């Protein structure tokens, strides 16, 4: 059997790397399988202005390089590969990448989430230059400007209401003639003096060379094309947690997020942190905070007498 580790962390974004720093400093010699998208979501952004400790702001990739360096400094072992399979039905747990098998007494899941995008070439090109999936992260860059939010669910309503506090005007573009969002949220948006709604409209193209200048929308009923000037486009059509690996082994909710109690999952000895279990806050600082919690929970679980007695053969 493969070497037995105390803890394997799956995912190398803010949550997984913070868990690694804490686990390494607790002498657990963690192995982090960080995935090919090492660094996580912040690798695709530019300025991060709300991570405490960086009063002038920091570039997303630079921040993640600092996280990695800090984890490595305490002896965390980083492996750049995607996990293709896990087995948490019996202890020790099994984790597989394409070429390797890993065994561990405990596992911390930090595989994050991915924003859903419209799938337009112009949207991809201008991501980080006015196209965003996070009003809390990027809204402040567009103070007193006119902005567009795309979507019709609760997230889109939240983004629009948040941005209305910052922007001079917000236009919500929605492809149907009513919102999917809860009535109370929808009513707040519709009644808001700074928010306009463009019903029955689909974004066809984001326009701008280096930064967003406008969006082209097509009326889904009449087919008419209209250009809406805007400094930024906030795409709020949902997030998908990266949980395919864990389905049928660990409890997930209706939207696919791992169900946690603190950071404990439905499987004893398996913990989850960051966006993979958080549909609400989705920030680097909250992901890091829960990564710290997951490492401390794993450490205490490994130390617990109940676990000692059930796995005495693993403790030298
Ligand atoms: C464009 C953009 C801008 C943002 N700006 C900000 C901001 O300014 N401030 C802020 O606080 N937050 C910001 N966020 C949100 C923030 O990035 C996330 O909340 C945070 O990254 C979540 O951290 P995480 O560790 O849970 O997951 P992620 O960052 O998503 O990391 C997930 C990790 O899991 C790995 N992984 C996934 N699947 C596998 C697998 N099968 N095997 C192995 N590894 C796997 C990936 O490789 C990655 O390393 C932004 C997000 C985006 C998309």
């Amino acid at each position: 059997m493969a070497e037995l580790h105390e803890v394997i962390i799956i995912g190398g974004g803010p949550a997984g790397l913070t868990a690694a720093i804490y686990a390494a400093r607790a002498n657990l010699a963690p192995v982090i399988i960080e995935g090919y998208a090492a660094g996580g979501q912040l690798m695709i952004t530019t300025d991060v202005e709300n991570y405490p400790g960086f009063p002038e702001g920091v570039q997303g990739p630079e921040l993640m390089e600092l996280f990695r360096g800090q984890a490595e400094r305490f002896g965390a072992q980083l492996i750049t590969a995607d996990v293709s399979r896990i087995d948490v039905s019996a202890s020790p747990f099994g984790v597989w990448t394409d070429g390797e098998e890993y065994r561990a007494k405990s596992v911390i899941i930090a595989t994050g989430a991915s924003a859903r995008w419209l799938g337009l070439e112009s949207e991809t090109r201008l991501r980080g230059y006015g196209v965003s999936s996070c009003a809390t992260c990027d809204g402040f860059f567009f103070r007193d400007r006119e902005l567009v939010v795309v979507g019709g669910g609760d997230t889109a309503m939240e983004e629009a209401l948040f941005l209305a506090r910052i922007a001079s005007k917000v236009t919500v573009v929605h492809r149907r003639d009513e919102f999917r969002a809860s009535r109370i949220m929808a009513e707040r948006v519709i009644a808001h003096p700074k928010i306009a709604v463009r019903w029955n409209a689909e974004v066809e193209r984001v326009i701008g060379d280096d930064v967003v200048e406008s969006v082209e929308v097509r009326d889904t009923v009449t087919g008419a094309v209209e250009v809406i000037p805007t400094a930024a486009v906030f795409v709020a059509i949902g997030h998908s947690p990266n949980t395919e690996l864990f389905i049928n082994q660990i409890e997930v909710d209706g939207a696919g997020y791992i169900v946690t109690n603190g950071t404990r999952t439905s499987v004893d000895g398996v913990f989850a942190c960051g966006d993979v279990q958080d549909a609400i806050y989705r920030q680097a600082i909250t992901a890091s905070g829960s990564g710290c919690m997951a490492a401390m929970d794993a450490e205490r679980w490994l130390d617990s007498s109940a676990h000692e007695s059930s796995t005495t053969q693993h403790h030298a």
Side-chain angles (χ1 to χ4, degrees):
M1 193 181 271
E3 181 190 350
L4 183 62
H5 299 283
E6 294 289 318
V7 58
I8 287 181
I9 299 166
I10 309 176
L17 290 171
T18 304
I21 293 165
Y22 276 78
R25 295 188 78 255
N27 250 353
L28 294 176
V31 172
I32 304 115
I33 306 179
E34 60 181 355
Y36 292 116
Q41 294 168 64
L42 286 186
M43 299 302 282
I44 58 161
T45 192
T46 46
D47 297 292
V48 177
E49 290 197 332
N50 53 11
Y51 200 86
F54 296 89
E56 306 302 325
V58 59
Q59 297 290 299
E62 187 190 337
L63 181 61
M64 295 325 298
E65 207 39 55
L66 292 169
F67 271 58
R68 279 178 110 240
Q70 194 168 351
E72 282 179 323
R73 181 181 152 214
F74 296 112
Q77 186 190 343
L78 285 150
I79 293 165
T80 310
D82 276 341
V83 170
S84 51
R85 183 164 78 87
I86 67 156
D87 180 0
V88 293
S89 61
S91 181
F93 304 130
V95 175
W96 288 263
T97 60
D98 274 349
E100 292 288 333
E101 172 185 338
Y102 299 86
R103 292 276 161 185
K105 296 177 197 171
S106 66
V107 170
I108 296 177
I109 299 171
T111 47
S114 316
R116 289 200 204 112
W117 297 99
L118 299 165
L120 305 168
E121 180 279 323
S122 51
E123 172 198 52
T124 313
R125 183 170 52 80
L126 290 165
R127 233 184 256 173
Y129 298 92
V131 173
S132 172
S133 61
C134 178
T136 313
C137 311
D138 297 330
F140 194 73
F141 297 121
F142 304 102
R143 261 165 302 164
D144 300 323
R145 307 289 300 276
E146 296 197 2
L147 305 175
V148 162
V149 171
V150 184
D154 274 334
T155 308
M157 303 301 106
E158 275 166 20
E159 302 274 270
L161 290 164
F162 178 85
L163 291 170
R165 267 189 256 132
I166 299 170
S168 60
K169 180 187 174 189
V170 176
T171 303
V172 178
V173 174
H174 184 45
R175 59 188 171 150
R176 299 191 216 290
D177 61 0
E178 60 178 347
F179 288 134
R180 250 183 314 108
S182 56
R183 220 173 89 195
I184 184 155
M185 294 292 284
E187 279 170 1
R188 261 185 227 158
V189 164
I190 291 165
H192 199 292
K194 278 164 84 179
I195 303 178
V197 183
R198 181 65 177 82
W199 303 105
N200 296 319
E202 260 176 358
V203 176
E204 296 253 291
R205 196 157 61 101
V206 184
I207 299 170
D209 290 332
D210 303 322
V211 294
V212 171
E213 287 164 12
S214 57
V215 286
E216 187 179 285
V217 301
R218 179 180 293 275
D219 191 297
T220 56
V221 180
T222 65
V225 172
E226 181 191 342
V227 172
I228 305 173
T230 184
V233 183
F234 288 86
V235 180
I237 56 174
H239 281 77
S240 310
N242 301 321
T243 48
E244 306 76 26
L245 277 177
F246 315 113
I247 306 286
N248 297 329
Q249 297 200 58
I250 294 163
E251 188 185 350
V252 297
D253 68 13
Y257 288 88
I258 293 181
V259 175
T260 48
N261 177 5
T263 68
R264 286 171 179 257
T265 69
S266 58
V267 176
D268 206 25
V270 179
F271 304 84
C273 50
D275 284 15
V276 73
Q277 50 86 59
D278 169 22
I280 300 171
Y281 301 106
R282 291 196 295 248
Q283 293 294 291
I285 187 73
T286 49
S288 283
S290 69
C292 155
M293 289 159 61
M296 292 177 75
D297 288 342
E299 177 203 337
R300 285 171 193 171
W301 182 83
L302 286 162
D303 271 349
S304 70
S305 51
H307 178 249
E308 292 271 344
S309 58
S310 66
T311 59
T312 36
Q313 75 271 25
H314 304 315
H315 289 262

